Amino acid sequence: VEVGDLRELQTLDISTNRLITLPERLHMCLSLQYLTADRNHLWYVPRHLCQLPSLNELSMAGNRLAFLPLDLGRSRELQYVYVDNNIHLKGLPSYLYNKVIGCSGCGSPIQVSEVKLLSFSSGQLTVFLPAEVKSIGTETDHVLPLQELAMRTLYNTYYRFLKDLNFLTPISLPKSLLELLHCPLGHCHRCSQPMFTIVYPKLFTLRETPMAGLHQGRTTVSFVAYCCSTQCLQTFDLLS
């Protein structure tokens, strides 16, 4: 029996197993509430975990995480996220703002050698982005990439209006694009528009948030808002 077949599974602890990746079909465990994967060798959290409807607590402390999915924390059910002692991790998606976060021991200035990642810098802080992000937008951009526009058009046509992406097949679109339509990179923190290839990041330092007192002097992690356009980038404010 594969993990993905355990539809009634509520608690899973796979800590200290030298795992490089999480089980491929873990997102099929629709009843999963508590997932603990501490002290492994994980360098990313699968985007599909953001779709788990019942996940309340996620712990991935002591791994090699350099980034978290853009949508992590978007679900109202997810309330507790512990990523302590991930020395490469310097950015938390702003959806985690006002959640219970453990991030002590994160953000040490150590180079990531396991995988080449896209990154953006703000001041002295450099934040790594998910490997699926193809480009980073800035306030000077005026036109979105053609692939991004095409993906949004397909998503709006087949998902918003027909509520069904099964009309599309591998014959009409490559498998990689089909998967991306089913599970976008993330959603704009300002307007909830799905994003597929390009993001517009905006950094909010931890000292400017109510969580600052919890991590005083123990972390260099900041919250990152991911927006879909220059307009959303300019108007989004984490504290509003």
Side-chain angles (χ1 to χ4, degrees):
V1 177
E2 294 187 11
V3 171
D5 296 325
L6 304 176
R7 300 302 174 89
E8 303 301 321
L9 181 68
Q10 297 184 12
T11 301
L12 178 63
D13 189 338
I14 48 177
S15 301
T16 319
N17 277 291
R18 299 183 179 180
L19 297 177
I20 299 176
T21 60
L22 291 176
E24 185 176 346
R25 299 178 64 238
L26 188 58
H27 65 281
M28 302 297 292
C29 300
L30 300 181
S31 299
L32 190 63
Q33 298 180 33
Y34 307 99
L35 173 59
T36 304
D38 299 338
R39 298 180 301 282
N40 285 291
H41 303 303
L42 303 168
W43 62 272
Y44 75 100
V45 180
R47 289 183 292 124
H48 287 87
L49 288 190
C50 300
Q51 298 179 330
L52 284 172
S54 303
L55 189 63
N56 177 259
E57 182 176 311
L58 174 65
S59 184
M60 299 187 68
N63 280 281
R64 301 176 180 177
L65 301 179
F67 59 87
L68 296 175
L70 279 57
D71 269 352
L72 189 63
R74 192 167 186 257
S75 165
R76 293 183 179 180
E77 292 300 320
L78 185 61
Q79 292 296 320
Y80 303 90
V81 176
Y82 302 104
V83 289
D84 305 81
N85 298 315
N86 281 277
I87 56 178
H88 306 309
L89 186 63
K90 296 185 178 182
L92 301 172
S94 70
Y95 283 126
L96 293 179
Y97 179 69
N98 285 337
K99 308 277 186 175
V100 178
I101 310 296
C103 59
S104 296
C106 295
S108 299
I110 297 178
Q111 295 297 319
V112 176
S113 58
E114 289 86 353
V115 64
K116 184 178 180 180
L117 297 172
L118 195 63
S119 64
F120 80 99
S121 300
S122 179
Q124 297 181 340
L125 186 63
T126 297
V127 176
F128 295 104
L129 300 183
E132 297 91 347
V133 176
K134 293 190 175 181
S135 57
I136 302 173
T138 69
E139 293 187 7
T140 60
D141 290 349
H142 299 291
V143 180
L144 286 171
L146 182 58
Q147 183 179 354
E148 180 71 16
L149 292 173
M151 294 295 288
R152 291 186 188 182
T153 299
L154 285 171
Y155 186 91
N156 291 334
T157 300
Y158 288 95
Y159 185 77
R160 287 192 177 180
F161 296 119
L162 301 177
K163 302 297 182 184
D164 188 3
L165 289 172
N166 292 326
F167 283 90
L168 296 171
T169 68
I171 297 176
S172 58
L173 272 181
K175 182 179 178 181
S176 59
L177 295 184
L178 278 175
E179 181 180 341
L180 192 55
L181 277 178
H182 282 276
C183 187
L185 288 178
H187 291 74
C188 177
H189 290 182
R190 178 69 174 85
C191 71
S192 294
Q193 165 82 33
M195 300 176 293
F196 298 96
T197 62
I198 185 171
V199 297
Y200 293 78
K202 188 173 185 178
L203 216 59
F204 296 87
T205 59
L206 194 63
R207 65 175 179 272
E208 297 174 355
T209 72
M211 288 180 55
L214 300 176
H215 302 283
Q216 189 67 38
R218 293 181 292 166
T219 183
T220 55
V221 174
S222 294
F223 286 101
V224 187
Y226 296 99
C227 299
C228 69
S229 64
T230 56
Q231 181 178 359
C232 286
L233 179 68
Q234 294 166 358
T235 57
F236 181 80
D237 186 353
L238 182 62
L239 302 177
S240 63

